[in-house]
């Protein structure tokens, strides 16, 4: 009898164990990319970003209450921190993703930034298109979403720079911006 289970019990047990551990296992191709495990979600940060998003929406609709000063003032006080809080939390998430070491993290951040840049730029102020014309509408304005998208792209490009170089670049940029603001 030529059964693989023929022989002493220890050898049979070893063959069964080997067969069970190799079932379903496929040898990886030599140049195959192994997918990274998904990043764990930071539920507290996700919740805070959700609250910030709601507050940003409230800050955009508060102008509908110009004729009711009490509601307008309340929404203004509540939403005064909305955009800075959302930007701070989004920057934290971008830094977390970029520092995770996950394969493709930089590409994912750039992909999201390009989506924000293209979709945000095209959709914001679309009602102005008939008044200003296509060329001016596309090229003569910069919105906050454009700035956020460009900052995400720069962050992805600079993610692996040493800390001292980032500090130097930030100081040089701050100096450049402060001197250009002083000349205006």
């Amino acid at each position: 009898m030529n059964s693989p289970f023929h022989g002493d019990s220890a050898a049979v047990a070893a063959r069964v164990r080997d067969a069970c551990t190799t079932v379903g296992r496929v040898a990886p191709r030599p140049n195959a990319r192994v997918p990274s495990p998904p990043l764990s979600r930071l539920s507290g940060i996700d919740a805070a970003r959700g609250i910030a998003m709601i507050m940003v929406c409230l800050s955009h609709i508060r102008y509908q209450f110009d004729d009711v000063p009490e509601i307008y003032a309340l929404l203004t006080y509540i939403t005064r921190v909305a955009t800075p809080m959302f930007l701070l939390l989004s920057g934290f998430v971008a830094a977390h993703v970029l520092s995770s070491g996950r394969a493709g993290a930089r590409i994912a951040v750039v992909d999201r930034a390009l989506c924000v840049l293209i979709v945000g730029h095209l959709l914001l102020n679309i009602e102005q298109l008939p008044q200003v014309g296509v060329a001016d509408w596309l090229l003569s304005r910069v919105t906050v979403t454009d700035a956020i998208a460009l900052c995400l792209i720069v962050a992805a490009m600079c993610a692996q720079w040493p800390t001292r170089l980032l500090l130097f670049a930030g100081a040089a940029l701050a100096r450049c911006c402060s001197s250009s603001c002083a000349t205006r």
Side-chain angles (χ1 to χ4, degrees):
M1 182 158 41
N2 289 340
S3 167
F5 302 110
H6 183 68
D8 69 343
S9 62
V12 169
R15 282 189 218 112
V16 169
R17 185 176 54 247
D18 290 343
C20 289
T21 58
T22 59
V23 169
R25 187 181 297 171
V26 176
R29 294 183 314 235
N31 294 330
R33 286 183 53 208
V34 178
S36 323
L39 289 175
S40 62
R41 298 296 303 198
L42 303 172
S43 58
I45 298 297
D46 285 344
R49 283 177 67 198
I51 292 168
M53 285 181 213
I54 291 169
M55 290 174 65
V56 167
C57 290
L58 288 174
S59 74
H60 287 296
I61 66 163
R62 72 184 170 153
Y63 299 111
Q64 304 303 317
F65 296 97
D66 280 343
D67 53 345
V68 186
E70 297 84 17
I71 295 176
Y72 180 83
L74 177 66
L75 289 175
T76 300
Y77 288 127
I78 290 173
T79 61
R80 188 158 298 212
V81 297
T83 301
M85 182 170 74
F86 179 73
L87 293 176
L88 178 72
L89 292 168
S90 295
F92 177 80
V93 170
H96 176 70
V97 167
L98 290 171
S99 68
S100 69
R102 185 180 126 218
R106 291 171 55 184
I107 292 171
V109 169
V110 170
D111 182 51
R112 181 168 289 185
L114 289 173
C115 179
V116 167
L117 182 64
I118 294 167
V119 174
H121 189 83
L122 292 178
L123 291 181
L124 287 177
N125 302 325
I126 197 166
E127 76 280 353
Q128 294 177 352
L129 183 59
Q131 290 91 14
V132 297
V134 175
D136 284 339
W137 179 73
L138 276 177
L139 304 171
S140 297
R141 64 188 178 89
V142 176
T143 64
V144 69
T145 57
D146 299 339
I148 292 167
L150 292 175
C151 287
L152 282 173
I153 292 169
V154 168
M157 291 177 7
C158 303
Q160 296 177 339
W161 286 9
T163 305
R164 288 186 182 172
L165 182 58
L166 288 171
L167 180 63
F168 178 74
L173 186 61
R175 171 116 171 109
C176 178
C177 289
S178 66
S179 65
S180 72
C181 288
T183 61
R184 288 184 184 182

